[in-house]
Amino acid sequence: MIQELKKDIKAVVLSEYKLMACILVVLIIFWKFINKLISTYIVCITETVTNDSLFIALIFFLCPVFIALIKHDSLKRETKKLSQRHLWEFFLFVVYVGFKIWGRFDFYSYMGISYFACLFLGMFFTEYVFYCLYRKEFQALTGLYKRTHPFFIDAPTTNDGYNRDFLLRTLLDKVLSTFDSHYFVETPNSFTILLSESFGIGKTSFLCQMKKAIRGGEYQNKIIYVEFRPWLCEKTETMITEFFSVLHQELNRHFILPTGMFSSYLSLLVEKVPDSYYSFMFKSLYKKKTLTTEHDRIMTFLKQIDRPIIISIDDVDRLHDDEVKLMLNLIRDTADFPNLFYIIAADKKNLCLSLERLGIEAPEVYMKKFINFECLFPANDAVLKKIFQEKLDSVLREYSCTGNKDLIIDSIFEIENLLNAFETPRDILRFFNVFTFAMDCIERNGMMDEINVADLFAISIIQYLNINLYRIFGGFNVQMHYTAKL
């Protein structure tokens, strides 16, 4: 609860502090002028009403209530403990107190309480009523799930949590350097880079960082970024049409393309597919031309562009075997155009298995025909340890183990070769989902004070690494009973 409140406070302050700081600076700089303005006009307005009047004080008090009734629907759906509205109400109250203390004027009042003070009292009263009527009810409804730790979700991110910024910059700079050197080559080809890492290493996050650096960072207007997702396509011929559609759409944002440049070439490619809808459609739109003519037409145009084009293709190892081979043929033969830099993210072992199932002997040798450079991420043992320690610390804090947290951590790290159980950051997240699920079950049964957290952690490790051994030990029952403190 405290952590959630701190999170809300941080979010609200970060969103509004600049404007509030500007207002404070203006108040400080023009303090005398504002004092004179309030004394001359604002106070005079308040003095037009009767002093020491219960009716006037009640009007000021009820103003926030009327506003709250108007915005009733939006206010009752509010779920945050602290919102931007609360921060501004507090800020205005502080400003009022400042004027009250340091200002050289008096407001009309009722029983010694100024009318403006009645306004703030009404505001605080309204907030309290809404809290009692709606927010308490919401907290009661959500209390059950708020007492559980959310699952750790392994989603791609643009944050450089793996310290790969230097690798990204080096790769993009080499693309630019290669483009400059190839600009005067008579018959340049495309260049293919394979991000050859296993699942969970962060290949997709690396591509997200690349996309951010190119489209909104320092490489903007230096490189064109095209994102192709072949696994969205159902058929192989759809993959070809989708590839050229995505490429055409992105290039059309930067250049004036010759009429029918890609579609004419695509029509000739697709008509080779028997009984294809695309074949019938394109035949009726374009005259018969040769593939060579249309291919060279695209090459001539792309050779003249002023910046390289990076085409990222993620999760190629997610494709079916025949689709993998089609993608390799696409980048090396069908779309082997100048100034194109393909960046393929895939596990090389899985690619080789797909090619083996297609009857290709020595798949690694075969892939050398398609891949120009294999990029590997640097060793991430230190990163894995850092992620593990951060997750462990946050989980223990979440379950209020702060009193003996250091002792628990020391006991956990006494497990021999603990970090060897995790090969990737994804493995760490999956394990902590197992561990926090067990912790939530124990907390819901009211046994947190009786449990040995370090032993529960060890049993969760067994569950994660060897489910059969975990079942031999008694499964969930052993977590509930064996780990109880003696």
Side-chain angles (χ1 to χ4, degrees):
M1 181 177 177
I2 296 177
Q3 294 294 332
E4 184 180 354
L5 181 60
K6 287 182 179 179
K7 184 178 179 181
D8 289 343
I9 293 174
K10 183 179 179 181
V12 169
V13 172
L14 288 177
S15 65
E16 302 294 332
Y17 78 95
K18 291 183 180 179
L19 180 57
M20 289 184 173
C22 291
I23 294 175
L24 286 175
V25 170
V26 171
L27 289 175
I28 292 172
I29 295 175
F30 300 101
W31 176 253
K32 292 183 179 180
F33 173 76
I34 294 173
N35 257 289
K36 183 178 179 181
L37 183 67
I38 293 176
S39 300
T40 306
Y41 297 102
I42 306 299
V43 174
C44 292
I45 293 174
T46 62
E47 290 177 351
T48 59
V49 299
T50 308
N51 189 26
D52 202 27
S53 169
L54 174 62
F55 178 72
I56 300 300
L58 191 61
I59 291 177
F60 274 83
F61 181 86
L62 292 177
C63 277
V65 178
F66 294 144
I67 295 173
L69 290 175
I70 294 172
K71 302 187 68 175
H72 174 265
D73 290 337
S74 61
L75 289 175
K76 74 176 184 179
R77 290 194 299 266
E78 193 173 77
T79 58
K80 291 184 178 180
K81 288 181 170 35
L82 185 74
S83 65
Q84 294 174 336
R85 185 187 75 260
H86 297 123
L87 184 64
W88 279 106
E89 289 172 353
F90 178 74
F91 178 77
L92 292 175
F93 178 72
V94 170
V95 171
Y96 165 74
V97 171
F99 278 109
K100 188 70 176 176
I101 295 175
W102 294 293
R104 298 178 179 178
F105 47 81
D106 293 319
F107 294 112
Y108 273 13
S109 60
Y110 173 72
M111 295 182 64
I113 303 174
S114 72
Y115 291 152
F116 282 100
C118 292
L119 183 72
F120 284 105
L121 289 174
M123 188 184 300
F124 298 147
F125 172 77
T126 304
E127 290 290 352
Y128 178 75
V129 170
F130 267 88
Y131 173 79
C132 293
L133 291 179
Y134 298 110
R135 218 152 293 133
K136 268 191 175 182
E137 180 182 353
F138 174 82
Q139 290 173 4
L141 291 173
T142 59
L144 287 176
Y145 76 77
K146 282 194 174 182
R147 287 202 300 268
T148 61
H149 193 287
F151 283 116
F152 290 101
I153 300 176
D154 179 32
T157 177
T158 56
N159 296 327
D160 185 25
Y162 306 122
N163 299 321
R164 292 171 181 165
D165 182 66
F166 76 95
L167 182 68
L168 174 61
R169 292 172 181 272
T170 303
L171 185 61
L172 294 179
D173 288 342
K174 287 187 74 66
V175 167
L176 289 171
S177 177
T178 307
F179 169 78
D180 292 337
S181 64
H182 275 201
Y183 197 79
F184 301 102
V185 176
E186 185 175 352
T187 56
N189 301 106
S190 62
F191 193 89
T192 304
I193 301 168
L194 175 64
L195 297 180
S196 177
E197 294 288 355
S198 59
F199 292 115
I201 294 295
K203 300 187 295 296
T204 304
S205 294
F206 186 78
L207 292 179
C208 289
Q209 294 166 32
M210 179 182 295
K211 179 179 178 180
K212 180 180 178 181
I214 294 174
R215 292 188 174 176
E218 61 179 288
Y219 293 92
Q220 191 175 15
N221 300 323
K222 296 180 180 178
I223 301 174
I224 297 173
Y225 185 84
V226 180
E227 186 177 12
F228 177 47
R229 303 172 183 175
W231 30 268
L232 292 176
C233 304
E234 294 183 1
K235 300 179 181 179
T236 54
E237 59 265 29
T238 311
M239 290 172 57
I240 299 174
T241 57
E242 178 68 11
F243 172 83
F244 283 102
S245 297
V246 171
L247 181 59
H248 177 273
Q249 183 180 12
E250 190 61 38
L251 292 182
N252 200 40
R253 297 177 182 175
H254 304 275
F255 309 108
I256 300 176
L257 302 180
T259 304
M261 183 177 70
F262 289 111
S263 55
S264 180
Y265 179 60
L266 179 60
S267 67
L268 295 171
L269 286 173
V270 177
E271 73 176 6
K272 303 296 182 181
V273 181
D275 302 324
S276 170
Y277 166 77
Y278 299 100
S279 175
F280 172 80
M281 179 179 66
F282 285 116
K283 276 183 178 180
S284 62
L285 294 176
Y286 298 99
K287 296 180 180 179
K288 185 74 175 179
K289 296 180 182 180
T290 64
L291 276 171
T292 302
T293 303
E294 296 303 311
H295 182 274
D296 292 345
R297 181 186 176 201
I298 297 174
M299 286 192 66
T300 302
F301 175 80
L302 292 179
K303 187 180 177 182
Q304 298 172 355
I305 62 176
D306 60 350
R307 68 197 89 165
I309 302 168
I310 287 181
I311 303 177
S312 71
I313 311 176
D314 195 10
D315 291 326
V316 175
D317 45 3
R318 188 193 297 186
L319 303 175
H320 297 300
D321 296 343
D322 57 335
E323 294 173 338
V324 170
K325 192 171 186 299
L326 175 66
M327 284 307 307
L328 293 176
N329 289 332
L330 179 68
I331 63 179
R332 181 50 59 209
D333 299 323
T334 309
D336 183 20
F337 300 121
N339 299 324
L340 297 188
F341 292 81
Y342 294 97
I343 299 184
I344 299 175
D347 187 345
K348 186 177 179 181
K349 293 180 180 179
N350 289 336
L351 292 180
C352 290
L353 289 174
S354 294
L355 295 175
E356 281 183 359
R357 288 191 291 266
L358 291 173
I360 297 175
E361 298 180 358
E364 290 197 15
V365 177
Y366 177 80
M367 285 185 58
K368 289 181 180 179
K369 300 177 183 180
F370 305 91
I371 307 301
N372 299 105
F373 174 68
E374 186 175 344
C375 181
L376 298 174
F377 294 148
N380 59 351
D381 292 343
V383 175
L384 283 176
K385 184 175 182 180
K386 179 183 177 183
I387 294 174
F388 178 83
Q389 289 176 331
E390 288 176 351
K391 298 302 179 186
L392 178 60
D393 185 78
S394 67
V395 166
L396 294 179
R397 289 180 182 275
E398 182 74 20
Y399 293 101
S400 303
C401 300
T402 53
N404 56 346
K405 180 169 68 73
D406 293 336
L407 180 61
I408 295 173
I409 292 176
D410 290 340
S411 300
I412 288 173
F413 274 96
E414 288 179 0
I415 300 175
E416 189 175 353
N417 299 322
L418 172 63
L419 294 178
N420 292 340
F422 313 109
E423 296 182 359
T424 68
R426 182 175 296 171
D427 293 338
I428 294 176
L429 298 184
R430 287 180 174 179
F431 163 73
F432 274 103
N433 282 333
V434 173
F435 178 56
T436 55
F437 186 82
M439 291 283 281
D440 286 332
C441 291
I442 288 171
E443 184 177 50
R444 183 153 294 189
N445 279 278
M447 297 175 60
M448 283 301 295
D449 293 335
E450 305 172 12
I451 211 73
N452 187 312
V453 178
D455 286 348
L456 178 63
F457 185 94
I459 294 173
S460 298
I461 283 280
I462 296 173
Q463 179 185 357
Y464 174 74
L465 295 177
N466 193 326
I467 189 67
N468 293 325
L469 181 60
Y470 170 75
R471 287 170 176 165
I472 291 173
F473 281 162
F476 184 73
N477 291 330
V478 75
Q479 288 179 322
M480 299 293 288
H481 299 290
Y482 176 73
T483 55
K485 294 179 181 178
L486 299 178

